[in-house]
Amino acid sequence: MSDNPPIVWYRRNKKDEPALEKRSIPAGVFTKCPMCREALLTGEVHKNLDVCTSCGHHFAMATRDRVASIMDKGSLIEHDAHVESIDPLGFRDSKKYSDRLKSTRKTSGEVEALIAVAGRIENIAVEAGFFVFEFMGGSMGSVVGEKITRLFERALERRVPALIFASSGGARMQEGILSLMQMAKTSAAIARLREARVPILSILLHPTTGGVAASFSMLGDLHIAEPKALIGFAGPRVIQNTIHQNLPPGFQRSEFLLTHGFVDIIVPRKELKATIALALRWMGTPAVTTRN
Amino acid sequence: MPPRKEKAKEAPVLDFERPVVELERKIDDLKQRTRLSGEIRREIENLETRARELQQHIFSSLTPWQKVQLARHPGRPYTLDYVSRIITDFTELHGDRRFADDAAMIGGIGFFEGIPVLCLGQQKGRTIKEKLARNVGMAKPEGYRKAMRLMDMAARFGKPIICMLDTPGAFPGIDAEERGQAEAVAKNLEIMAGLPVPIIAAVIGEGGSGGALAIGVADRILMLEYSVYSVITPEGCASILFRSDARKAEAAAAMKMTAPDLARLGIIDEIVPEAPGGAHRNFDLTARNLAAALRRHLADLLPLPPSLLKDLRYQKYRRMGAFVEAGGLAS
């Protein structure tokens, strides 16, 4: 910046959306859209599934709201809610991992970074997992890996589709190698689902990277992404630090993955439930069973 | 003194190796410059004992970071160094039949003590030119897809698979992302979980995260004594969690990434001893130790029917993880 920055009279749509890196859940009375810069009534945005009423920008969405937006009302049974992390390595960075877990539980109101439910989507029985990005960046440690594996195993046993709504920075470093092995564990469970021809739907939300991208999230029968979600193996900063080049605009966004053949379809949030239901109907999932 | 390899002699010396190496240089000097009288011979013997003891002393209390340095030692044997010593008639095969051949990942057929096997591994380079060509052992999607293609072939012909893990990680680059690095890694995890043939994975140097795991889903997981295996590099962990690259040694310790750590966590099946002073000091001896371990585990696995093999493999990974259930049930 020079000493005399030019006066900005009017500003709109910046070229390369910096606001996408940190997408926050709308809060307060007014919310300013980082894309179109419109001042929006937060209540209106919430009613619109946290999508900008002016330009369609997708804000982050609280995971419980996400669950409610997808699953049929009154159909939910939450599973494995009390599988809890321990601190197997005695890990400590700026604070002890065990303390970090405690404080994150308080601030997020969740026990871990994944909510596993059995329920229905337009009356079709499913087993679904929702990553809680609010909980340590949705990182996958032993608990998340275990809950996903159990979810896949339940789906196999009940022969109902398995859905994962991914939003995660990747493996949880605080659990070291145990986190890495969750990639293998969950992918092994996917292998069994595939063999049994149980539908696997991977819904890729902003952001899905690292070990969560490089395992079950990329192993769906279908990959459905929200618009402009960041999806990739390595984070953009890691890539930039490795190759010392500027990254092309739109790099690792949903649209980029679709162009390169790794995402089947990009679906705006408001149409997500209907699209999932359509795919499930096409796959020939049996209608509601008596078991749920 | 155990015989030392030509290459190892030229390789840079790590700080904590220096006292031993300097002592050995003195011994070499003595041996060369003097006509060996009985007194000098005795002196040499004394010095040699001293060097051995010093090495033992230093290596008995290595820090995790020092082990990381050994795992990355420029003189350390790489995949092809082991392959040439323990696989006969090794024939390298190339390409993923989709896009390219990735020199960071090698794969080929050969015989391990008479048994036909598929051998896979990341290959780092030793010279600057080779390092460039092999991308320092950081495979791209085509590397993982080549591995998958060859593993699929091994499965169809009922041949066991030996994988050697040695990579800083899967390559983080624009082209790798364009071609689906995450999907390539993920697919290998799924496919390996269901292969109907024995798989043994040996971490021979750096087990770098998903890039290593992508050829590491196995019935037996071995680690060389001074190899490391982790979810992220110590540098990566330090810069994210400790907000400073400089704290990599601390991160290496915190992540519990050495072979004894992984044995304690129940992830690996065996630690393969290296030559005294590290694998780079004696390629042959370390390769013999690795062969001995492979022989034992193959003998265990070869009689198992495919369905049991797959089931046991599933259970092996199924058990990995540490958590509690409400009510205090630990797992």
Side-chain angles (χ1 to χ4, degrees):
Chain A
M1 274 285 152
S2 70
D3 290 341
N4 302 306
I7 297 163
V8 180
W9 296 109
Y10 185 68
R11 180 187 284 157
R12 58 186 302 183
N13 285 10
K14 278 198 182 170
K15 263 280 173 267
D16 196 34
E17 322 108 35
L20 280 175
E21 282 316 314
K22 274 204 175 159
R23 255 181 238 183
S24 51
I25 301 165
V29 178
F30 285 99
T31 297
K32 192 169 188 181
C33 176
M35 293 304 294
C36 68
R37 311 248 140 204
E38 197 77 41
L40 312 158
L41 275 167
T42 303
E44 293 297 309
V45 179
H46 275 321
K47 258 188 253 165
N48 200 36
L49 300 177
D50 293 313
V51 174
C52 174
T53 45
S54 162
C55 74
H57 166 69
H58 284 50
F59 289 91
M61 190 181 198
T63 308
R64 291 283 167 182
D65 292 346
R66 165 83 60 186
V67 176
S69 77
I70 297 291
M71 308 300 295
D72 292 353
K73 232 184 192 165
S75 76
L76 287 186
I77 300 172
E78 186 166 347
H79 280 287
D80 306 318
H82 299 291
V83 182
E84 295 181 15
S85 288
I86 54 174
D87 178 11
L89 308 186
F91 195 96
R92 178 188 194 116
D93 45 81
S94 57
K95 57 164 106 159
K96 276 168 38 188
Y97 177 41
S98 48
D99 291 341
R100 191 177 293 280
L101 284 168
K102 265 181 230 154
S103 64
T104 309
R105 276 177 200 141
K106 229 175 257 169
T107 53
S108 69
E110 299 292 341
V111 175
E112 250 298 334
L114 187 96
I115 300 169
V117 301
R120 293 191 291 273
I121 295 173
E122 293 191 3
N123 225 20
I124 300 166
V126 300
E127 295 281 345
F130 294 84
F131 271 82
V132 185
F133 194 75
E134 307 94 292
F135 194 102
M136 294 185 73
S139 57
M140 175 165 69
S142 298
V143 171
V144 171
E146 178 70 17
K147 285 173 88 167
I148 288 176
T149 306
R150 288 185 188 181
L151 184 158
F152 288 156
E153 288 175 343
R154 279 193 304 274
L156 180 64
E157 208 200 298
R158 298 178 58 208
R159 304 228 147 215
V160 301
L163 280 69
I164 300 289
F165 294 77
S167 178
S168 168
R172 188 172 295 170
M173 279 175 276
Q174 289 88 345
E175 291 184 31
I177 196 76
L178 293 170
S179 297
L180 186 73
M181 292 304 154
Q182 303 311 309
M183 294 167 64
K185 177 162 129 184
T186 51
S187 301
I190 283 247
R192 292 189 157 190
L193 282 180
R194 177 133 25 234
E195 206 174 78
R197 277 176 283 164
V198 171
I200 308 157
L201 264 59
S202 176
I203 295 91
L204 302 157
L205 309 172
H206 178 80
T208 301
T209 59
V212 169
S215 56
F216 51 85
S217 299
M218 277 292 150
L219 296 172
D221 290 311
L222 290 183
H223 295 170
I224 301 172
E226 273 197 352
K228 294 187 180 166
L230 178 80
I231 305 161
F233 177 72
R237 243 157 299 158
V238 174
I239 296 174
Q240 206 143 27
N241 290 342
T242 307
I243 61 172
H244 308 291
Q245 279 175 44
N246 286 331
L247 303 175
F251 181 60
Q252 293 182 312
R253 301 292 167 185
S254 305
E255 297 72 15
F256 174 93
L257 269 89
L258 185 128
T259 307
H260 286 93
F262 293 96
V263 157
D264 289 281
I265 180 171
I266 297 170
V267 180
R269 194 171 288 163
K270 279 200 258 183
E271 295 161 29
L272 193 52
K273 178 170 181 169
T275 306
I276 291 169
L278 182 143
L280 293 179
R281 279 200 303 278
W282 183 89
M283 286 169 172
T285 315
V288 192
T289 63
T290 48
R291 299 180 60 176
N292 182 40
Chain B
M1 280 301 294
R4 288 166 61 195
K5 286 305 290 186
E6 346 65 55
K7 273 176 193 158
K9 254 187 180 171
E10 295 155 16
V13 175
L14 301 175
D15 281 350
F16 57 91
E17 292 183 295
R18 187 149 295 128
V20 176
V21 171
E22 276 168 7
L23 205 51
E24 285 172 353
R25 264 187 210 135
K26 263 183 218 156
I27 295 168
D28 284 347
D29 280 355
L30 273 179
K31 279 178 175 169
Q32 274 166 19
R33 272 199 241 143
T34 336
R35 223 180 275 159
L36 300 180
S37 68
E39 200 178 325
I40 288 186
R41 215 170 270 147
R42 265 194 305 283
E43 174 64 13
I44 288 175
E45 268 169 37
N46 282 342
L47 284 175
E48 281 175 344
T49 310
R50 168 106 191 83
R52 254 197 313 277
E53 283 168 359
L54 189 60
Q55 188 175 67
Q56 249 165 30
H57 175 71
I58 293 170
F59 276 69
S60 65
S61 57
L62 290 174
T63 65
W65 177 245
Q66 286 172 325
K67 288 187 184 175
V68 171
Q69 290 173 281
L70 281 173
R72 297 172 176 172
H73 198 293
R76 194 171 174 85
Y78 296 145
T79 295
L80 285 172
D81 296 309
Y82 292 109
V83 166
S84 66
R85 283 169 176 78
I86 65 180
I87 305 289
T88 46
D89 290 334
F90 179 74
T91 306
E92 193 180 343
L93 304 170
H94 297 273
D96 68 347
R97 304 269 173 89
R98 292 290 180 272
F99 178 75
D101 183 50
D102 187 346
M105 176 78 74
I106 61 116
I109 55 174
F111 298 83
F112 173 74
E113 302 181 348
I115 305 164
V117 296
L118 172 74
C119 203
L120 295 169
Q122 294 96 351
Q123 178 72 20
K124 296 178 172 178
R126 223 171 276 287
T127 61
I128 298 221
K129 203 175 147 194
E130 201 199 350
K131 278 186 170 105
L132 255 151
R134 298 202 181 273
N135 203 20
V136 222
M138 294 190 288
K140 296 180 181 181
E142 49 272 25
Y144 296 110
R145 289 176 186 139
K146 168 168 71 177
M148 183 168 74
R149 171 177 83 85
L150 294 174
M151 287 191 281
D152 182 58
M153 181 182 76
R156 273 183 294 112
F157 295 105
K159 306 304 179 211
I161 300 168
I162 296 170
C163 300
M164 303 203 195
L165 279 50
D166 190 17
T167 178
F171 182 61
I174 294 175
D175 54 343
E177 294 288 329
E178 281 174 343
R179 295 196 289 279
Q181 190 70 290
E183 193 271 350
V185 170
K187 201 69 198 174
N188 277 20
L189 303 182
E190 178 186 342
I191 297 292
M192 291 185 88
L195 287 178
V197 292
I199 311 170
I200 303 177
V203 186
I204 59 165
E206 273 186 287
S209 193
L213 184 66
I215 56 163
V217 179
D219 302 300
R220 295 284 196 280
I221 311 169
L222 319 178
M223 273 179 88
L224 288 190
E225 192 175 359
Y226 303 122
S227 67
V228 292
Y229 197 0
S230 63
V231 67
I232 186 171
T233 59
E235 288 84 352
C237 178
S239 77
I240 297 170
L241 290 187
F242 300 94
R243 313 245 167 233
S244 152
D245 266 5
R247 295 172 71 183
K248 57 199 174 187
E250 210 177 312
M255 281 200 294
K256 304 279 189 289
M257 61 193 291
T258 69
D261 290 328
L262 267 80
R264 231 171 284 131
L265 290 166
I267 301 297
I268 59 167
D269 298 282
E270 185 173 336
I271 300 173
V272 179
E274 296 187 17
H280 59 289
R281 308 266 302 185
N282 189 335
F283 286 24
D284 292 339
L285 177 58
T286 308
R288 277 200 300 278
N289 293 345
L290 179 59
L294 291 173
R295 187 181 311 131
R296 245 180 302 111
H297 290 290
L298 266 182
D300 284 353
L301 296 169
L302 281 171
L304 302 180
S307 59
L308 179 60
L309 200 60
K310 281 163 64 172
D311 219 43
L312 291 174
R313 194 182 304 141
Y314 187 81
Q315 295 310 330
K316 179 186 181 71
Y317 283 90
R318 190 67 192 78
R319 284 191 298 270
M320 291 182 187
F323 52 84
V324 287
E325 300 252 18
L329 275 175
S331 176

PDB file of all heavy atoms in Angstrom, chain B residues 92-97 99-105 142-143 146:
ATOM      1  N   GLU B  92      11.195 -53.902 -14.409  1.00  0.00           N
ATOM      2  CA  GLU B  92      10.326 -52.758 -14.146  1.00  0.00           C
ATOM      3  C   GLU B  92       9.301 -52.595 -15.263  1.00  0.00           C
ATOM      4  O   GLU B  92       9.608 -52.786 -16.440  1.00  0.00           O
ATOM      5  CB  GLU B  92      11.151 -51.470 -13.989  1.00  0.00           C
ATOM      6  CG  GLU B  92      10.294 -50.360 -13.416  1.00  0.00           C
ATOM      7  CD  GLU B  92      11.015 -49.027 -13.225  1.00  0.00           C
ATOM      8  OE1 GLU B  92      12.258 -48.992 -13.226  1.00  0.00           O
ATOM      9  OE2 GLU B  92      10.298 -48.017 -13.075  1.00  0.00           O
ATOM     10  N   LEU B  93       8.081 -52.264 -14.864  1.00  0.00           N
ATOM     11  CA  LEU B  93       6.998 -52.029 -15.816  1.00  0.00           C
ATOM     12  C   LEU B  93       6.540 -50.583 -15.675  1.00  0.00           C
ATOM     13  O   LEU B  93       6.583 -50.021 -14.577  1.00  0.00           O
ATOM     14  CB  LEU B  93       5.843 -53.001 -15.539  1.00  0.00           C
ATOM     15  CG  LEU B  93       6.247 -54.484 -15.569  1.00  0.00           C
ATOM     16  CD1 LEU B  93       5.126 -55.361 -15.044  1.00  0.00           C
ATOM     17  CD2 LEU B  93       6.656 -54.910 -16.980  1.00  0.00           C
ATOM     18  N   HIS B  94       6.099 -50.004 -16.760  1.00  0.00           N
ATOM     19  CA  HIS B  94       5.868 -48.564 -16.758  1.00  0.00           C
ATOM     20  C   HIS B  94       4.442 -48.177 -17.131  1.00  0.00           C
ATOM     21  O   HIS B  94       3.776 -48.885 -17.883  1.00  0.00           O
ATOM     22  CB  HIS B  94       6.828 -47.881 -17.736  1.00  0.00           C
ATOM     23  CG  HIS B  94       8.269 -48.050 -17.359  1.00  0.00           C
ATOM     24  ND1 HIS B  94       8.906 -47.193 -16.499  1.00  0.00           N
ATOM     25  CD2 HIS B  94       9.177 -48.992 -17.686  1.00  0.00           C
ATOM     26  CE1 HIS B  94      10.163 -47.598 -16.341  1.00  0.00           C
ATOM     27  NE2 HIS B  94      10.353 -48.694 -17.052  1.00  0.00           N
ATOM     28  N   GLY B  95       4.016 -47.035 -16.621  1.00  0.00           N
ATOM     29  CA  GLY B  95       2.827 -46.369 -17.135  1.00  0.00           C
ATOM     30  C   GLY B  95       1.516 -46.774 -16.497  1.00  0.00           C
ATOM     31  O   GLY B  95       1.340 -47.884 -16.014  1.00  0.00           O
ATOM     32  N   ASP B  96       0.574 -45.802 -16.495  1.00  0.00           N
ATOM     33  CA  ASP B  96      -0.735 -46.065 -15.897  1.00  0.00           C
ATOM     34  C   ASP B  96      -1.788 -46.380 -16.955  1.00  0.00           C
ATOM     35  O   ASP B  96      -2.953 -46.578 -16.627  1.00  0.00           O
ATOM     36  CB  ASP B  96      -1.187 -44.886 -15.020  1.00  0.00           C
ATOM     37  CG  ASP B  96      -1.498 -43.626 -15.825  1.00  0.00           C
ATOM     38  OD1 ASP B  96      -1.137 -43.558 -17.012  1.00  0.00           O
ATOM     39  OD2 ASP B  96      -2.104 -42.699 -15.252  1.00  0.00           O
ATOM     40  N   ARG B  97      -1.364 -46.415 -18.236  1.00  0.00           N
ATOM     41  CA  ARG B  97      -2.287 -46.683 -19.354  1.00  0.00           C
ATOM     42  C   ARG B  97      -3.371 -45.620 -19.451  1.00  0.00           C
ATOM     43  O   ARG B  97      -4.407 -45.845 -20.058  1.00  0.00           O
ATOM     44  CB  ARG B  97      -2.953 -48.062 -19.218  1.00  0.00           C
ATOM     45  CG  ARG B  97      -2.006 -49.222 -19.091  1.00  0.00           C
ATOM     46  CD  ARG B  97      -1.638 -49.824 -20.441  1.00  0.00           C
ATOM     47  NE  ARG B  97      -0.598 -50.836 -20.302  1.00  0.00           N
ATOM     48  CZ  ARG B  97      -0.843 -52.121 -20.072  1.00  0.00           C
ATOM     49  NH1 ARG B  97      -2.066 -52.544 -19.959  1.00  0.00           N
ATOM     50  NH2 ARG B  97       0.145 -52.966 -19.982  1.00  0.00           N
ATOM     51  N   PHE B  99      -2.364 -41.858 -18.686  1.00  0.00           N
ATOM     52  CA  PHE B  99      -1.786 -40.540 -18.920  1.00  0.00           C
ATOM     53  C   PHE B  99      -0.275 -40.582 -19.111  1.00  0.00           C
ATOM     54  O   PHE B  99       0.235 -40.035 -20.082  1.00  0.00           O
ATOM     55  CB  PHE B  99      -2.132 -39.614 -17.751  1.00  0.00           C
ATOM     56  CG  PHE B  99      -1.546 -38.237 -17.866  1.00  0.00           C
ATOM     57  CD1 PHE B  99      -2.097 -37.326 -18.758  1.00  0.00           C
ATOM     58  CD2 PHE B  99      -0.446 -37.871 -17.116  1.00  0.00           C
ATOM     59  CE1 PHE B  99      -1.546 -36.058 -18.884  1.00  0.00           C
ATOM     60  CE2 PHE B  99       0.108 -36.604 -17.243  1.00  0.00           C
ATOM     61  CZ  PHE B  99      -0.452 -35.691 -18.123  1.00  0.00           C
ATOM     62  N   ALA B 100       0.442 -41.230 -18.189  1.00  0.00           N
ATOM     63  CA  ALA B 100       1.901 -41.149 -18.255  1.00  0.00           C
ATOM     64  C   ALA B 100       2.549 -42.216 -17.390  1.00  0.00           C
ATOM     65  O   ALA B 100       1.870 -42.959 -16.689  1.00  0.00           O
ATOM     66  CB  ALA B 100       2.359 -39.762 -17.785  1.00  0.00           C
ATOM     67  N   ASP B 101       3.867 -42.241 -17.460  1.00  0.00           N
ATOM     68  CA  ASP B 101       4.624 -43.038 -16.501  1.00  0.00           C
ATOM     69  C   ASP B 101       5.208 -42.085 -15.476  1.00  0.00           C
ATOM     70  O   ASP B 101       5.742 -41.038 -15.819  1.00  0.00           O
ATOM     71  CB  ASP B 101       5.750 -43.814 -17.189  1.00  0.00           C
ATOM     72  CG  ASP B 101       6.496 -44.699 -16.195  1.00  0.00           C
ATOM     73  OD1 ASP B 101       5.812 -45.438 -15.458  1.00  0.00           O
ATOM     74  OD2 ASP B 101       7.738 -44.637 -16.142  1.00  0.00           O
ATOM     75  N   ASP B 102       5.079 -42.419 -14.214  1.00  0.00           N
ATOM     76  CA  ASP B 102       5.581 -41.571 -13.142  1.00  0.00           C
ATOM     77  C   ASP B 102       6.823 -42.219 -12.538  1.00  0.00           C
ATOM     78  O   ASP B 102       6.736 -43.282 -11.921  1.00  0.00           O
ATOM     79  CB  ASP B 102       4.471 -41.427 -12.078  1.00  0.00           C
ATOM     80  CG  ASP B 102       4.836 -40.412 -10.995  1.00  0.00           C
ATOM     81  OD1 ASP B 102       6.028 -40.022 -10.919  1.00  0.00           O
ATOM     82  OD2 ASP B 102       3.944 -40.010 -10.243  1.00  0.00           O
ATOM     83  N   ALA B 103       7.963 -41.566 -12.729  1.00  0.00           N
ATOM     84  CA  ALA B 103       9.216 -42.152 -12.262  1.00  0.00           C
ATOM     85  C   ALA B 103       9.361 -42.084 -10.740  1.00  0.00           C
ATOM     86  O   ALA B 103      10.251 -42.705 -10.165  1.00  0.00           O
ATOM     87  CB  ALA B 103      10.400 -41.449 -12.932  1.00  0.00           C
ATOM     88  N   ALA B 104       8.478 -41.323 -10.075  1.00  0.00           N
ATOM     89  CA  ALA B 104       8.522 -41.272  -8.608  1.00  0.00           C
ATOM     90  C   ALA B 104       8.010 -42.568  -7.994  1.00  0.00           C
ATOM     91  O   ALA B 104       8.248 -42.857  -6.835  1.00  0.00           O
ATOM     92  CB  ALA B 104       7.692 -40.097  -8.095  1.00  0.00           C
ATOM     93  N   MET B 105       7.278 -43.323  -8.804  1.00  0.00           N
ATOM     94  CA  MET B 105       6.735 -44.605  -8.338  1.00  0.00           C
ATOM     95  C   MET B 105       7.258 -45.697  -9.244  1.00  0.00           C
ATOM     96  O   MET B 105       7.088 -45.619 -10.458  1.00  0.00           O
ATOM     97  CB  MET B 105       5.204 -44.549  -8.400  1.00  0.00           C
ATOM     98  CG  MET B 105       4.508 -45.850  -8.037  1.00  0.00           C
ATOM     99  SD  MET B 105       4.455 -46.142  -6.267  1.00  0.00           S
ATOM    100  CE  MET B 105       3.195 -44.964  -5.783  1.00  0.00           C
ATOM    101  N   GLU B 142      -0.786 -40.259 -11.708  1.00  0.00           N
ATOM    102  CA  GLU B 142      -0.411 -41.336 -12.626  1.00  0.00           C
ATOM    103  C   GLU B 142       0.475 -42.382 -11.946  1.00  0.00           C
ATOM    104  O   GLU B 142       0.460 -43.556 -12.321  1.00  0.00           O
ATOM    105  CB  GLU B 142       0.264 -40.779 -13.882  1.00  0.00           C
ATOM    106  CG  GLU B 142       1.374 -39.772 -13.659  1.00  0.00           C
ATOM    107  CD  GLU B 142       0.872 -38.330 -13.560  1.00  0.00           C
ATOM    108  OE1 GLU B 142      -0.301 -38.122 -13.201  1.00  0.00           O
ATOM    109  OE2 GLU B 142       1.680 -37.416 -13.829  1.00  0.00           O
ATOM    110  N   GLY B 143       1.233 -41.956 -10.944  1.00  0.00           N
ATOM    111  CA  GLY B 143       2.050 -42.911 -10.189  1.00  0.00           C
ATOM    112  C   GLY B 143       1.176 -43.871  -9.393  1.00  0.00           C
ATOM    113  O   GLY B 143       1.393 -45.083  -9.395  1.00  0.00           O
ATOM    114  N   LYS B 146      -0.641 -46.146 -11.771  1.00  0.00           N
ATOM    115  CA  LYS B 146       0.229 -47.229 -12.247  1.00  0.00           C
ATOM    116  C   LYS B 146       0.290 -48.330 -11.197  1.00  0.00           C
ATOM    117  O   LYS B 146       0.142 -49.517 -11.515  1.00  0.00           O
ATOM    118  CB  LYS B 146       1.642 -46.698 -12.527  1.00  0.00           C
ATOM    119  CG  LYS B 146       2.674 -47.821 -12.732  1.00  0.00           C
ATOM    120  CD  LYS B 146       4.001 -47.320 -13.297  1.00  0.00           C
ATOM    121  CE  LYS B 146       4.813 -46.507 -12.321  1.00  0.00           C
ATOM    122  NZ  LYS B 146       6.120 -46.094 -12.879  1.00  0.00           N
TER     123      LYS B 146
END
